[in-house]
Amino acid sequence: MHRTKRLPLLAATAVGCTLAFAAAAEAFPALPGLSSAQPKITGVPEPTVLSPGLAQVEITRGSQALDGGTSAVPYYGYDGDGPLLPAPGDLPTLGHKVEATKTEPDKNTYLVLKGQTGPDAQYDYGTHFLFQGHELGSPGYITRINLDANPAHRVTLMSTQDTDGNPLSTIDGSTWDPFAKRLLFTSENKNSPEYQATLDYPMKVTDISGYVGRGGYEGIQNDSAGNVWIVEDVGGSTGTVNSHAKQPNSFIYRYVPNDPSDLTAGGVLQALQVTSKRTGQPIVFHSGQADADITSQDVKDLHTYGLAFKTSWVTVHDTSTDGTAPFDANTLAKAAGATPFKRPENGLFQPGTDFRSFVFDETGDTNALTEAGTTYGGFGALFKLTQAGPSASSGVLRLVYNSDAVHTGFDNVAFADTKTLLVAEDAGDTLHTQRNALDSLWKFNVNASYGDPSTPAPVRILAQGRDPSATLDSGFQALGPSSSTGFQNEGDNEITGVHISDGDPTVFGILGAKTPRPFVAGSGWKAFYTAQHGDNVTYELILHR
């Protein structure tokens, strides 16, 4: 039973007016495409190449000392457990770290706020801020990039523990919930808490796992009704026959709160269920049958252009009957008959659809040897879920794009206008080596029919390079697994945290409520991404005039 309170009539009308205005807004510029990704060459750094007319400006980097930092967490992208650079000739061994743990700032959330404070009570921190959780290290932590601040106050350490004094888990996803007036943070570790946090300094961070559950959560977004949509990334079992492919094992969730202004007032967690075109029954997970699921007809159908699938939402957990103790959402979603996907990581509402269309990606197997291939979604995909409204109980799912080895490992996404979706790859070191190609940032038209051979192909607008630090780390990884070398850091750079927003903290600023205008002078819209791993540099994307 849905108990969500709706937007007040005035607010709902205003959102509708905003959307009507948005339809006529300027489109994302027609940037020329890049013909190839940057190669991966042993021991050789590569520069990042951007589409002509596009440029990137460094906002901050991993070695930036934190405003309010501690000995355990001294820098934006490094823990305090080792040197920032290895000593000449030093090699990793068990029990010996050649360099500090790189914390990997992840999803960016941009907000324009007044009255923000920090460790320096006499300092004016400005009005433009970028919030991030960090994916690795111990403890987990949250930072705020103060875009108007001087170097000494550029990045503030906001929190390393929750309100009960527990160290924070590592964090992947984030968003701003304007109904609850809280930042929401997710962890890709399926056994770790999910959090909500206040904006004040120091942040008050609370565990909300008893309401939204625990899973391999990454993407998290609001809709206009105050529901919270969560995209899960949990790798499944590899098969015996299909030993380079993984069983679909992740779900799309929707948390329907009793009161959108207070997520801890209880509510219902739901998961998406897709009906098979073949049997008319729900497409479900089969325990102990990884090979059968990896190459099933249903998985093939899901990755076939032109097919439309009926969907519904099934209840995973209801606080009114199940209580508020933390729970395993993935296990309960399987028991409820929800439909698993191949590692979806992020999703957004398409602007101009009044929150009726939700687009999400699949990362896939990130292995060129996947036996699933493109036919069974081995390289991932883009999907669009269309409903009568954000709180509707049913809808229709269609394939937008079926990936291949060139376009794969899809992770962070950002709408750049009503139809243009920027999609970042996180293909991983193994696939980088297999295809001799680092990651790319792609431009997709989510309204296009990519199954039609006459449809223009996706456009590469950024070819990620590899900085010297990541090149060195890739070399350390090549020495052997961490179990034998003790090396704890990732290798090649990754494009993460792709985020386009005008920073509006009101309900009218929910991503999807307005048409993004990131490169229109005076619009207030900004585009960010982080070159994760290596030097962990966060950039703003701008037009080069």
Side-chain angles (χ1 to χ4, degrees), residues 78-102 469 472-477 479 485-490:
Y78 293 84
D79 279 342
D81 58 353
L84 299 190
L85 288 173
D90 197 9
L91 294 175
T93 57
L94 289 175
H96 169 62
K97 293 180 179 178
V98 297
E99 61 186 19
T101 299
K102 299 179 178 183
S469 180
L472 180 63
D473 291 348
S474 182
F476 284 140
Q477 281 200 331
L479 297 176
T485 65
F487 187 65
Q488 81 280 22
N489 288 325
E490 300 286 343

Side-chain angles (χ1 to χ4, degrees), residues 1 10 21 32 36 68 121 131 169 191 206 235-236 271-272 279 305 337 340 343 355 419 434 484 487 522 528:
M1 176 179 178
L10 179 62
F21 165 79
S36 63
F131 293 87
S169 173
N191 299 313
T206 55
L272 188 68
T279 67
Y305 289 112
R343 295 183 56 206
F355 293 90
K419 64 181 182 180
Q434 290 171 331
S484 61
F487 187 65
F528 301 95

Side-chain angles (χ1 to χ4, degrees), residues 98-177:
V98 297
E99 61 186 19
T101 299
K102 299 179 178 183
T103 64
E104 301 185 6
D106 205 286
K107 185 70 170 66
N108 294 298
T109 295
Y110 173 60
L111 292 172
V112 179
L113 304 164
K114 295 180 180 180
Q116 289 291 286
T117 60
D120 186 344
Q122 306 304 312
Y123 189 75
D124 181 357
Y125 283 86
T127 56
H128 300 83
F129 304 95
L130 201 59
F131 293 87
Q132 295 156 318
H134 291 248
E135 188 175 358
L136 290 181
S138 180
Y141 62 94
I142 298 167
T143 52
R144 183 190 68 197
I145 300 177
N146 311 306
L147 296 169
D148 304 322
N150 63 23
H153 300 87
R154 187 62 164 175
V155 187
T156 299
L157 176 61
M158 298 298 287
S159 183
T160 61
Q161 62 182 25
D162 65 20
T163 51
D164 293 325
N166 301 310
L168 294 184
S169 173
T170 53
I171 292 169
D172 291 85
S174 67
T175 195
W176 167 247
D177 184 337

Side-chain angles (χ1 to χ4, degrees), residues 216 231-236 247-253 272 285 330 333-334 338-345 362:
V231 179
E232 183 181 44
D233 172 18
V234 177
Q247 185 179 33
N249 191 48
S250 306
F251 300 91
I252 306 298
Y253 300 91
L272 188 68
F285 176 95
N330 186 276
K334 291 171 184 173
T339 298
F341 293 88
K342 289 183 75 72
R343 295 183 56 206
E345 294 207 39
E362 282 184 320

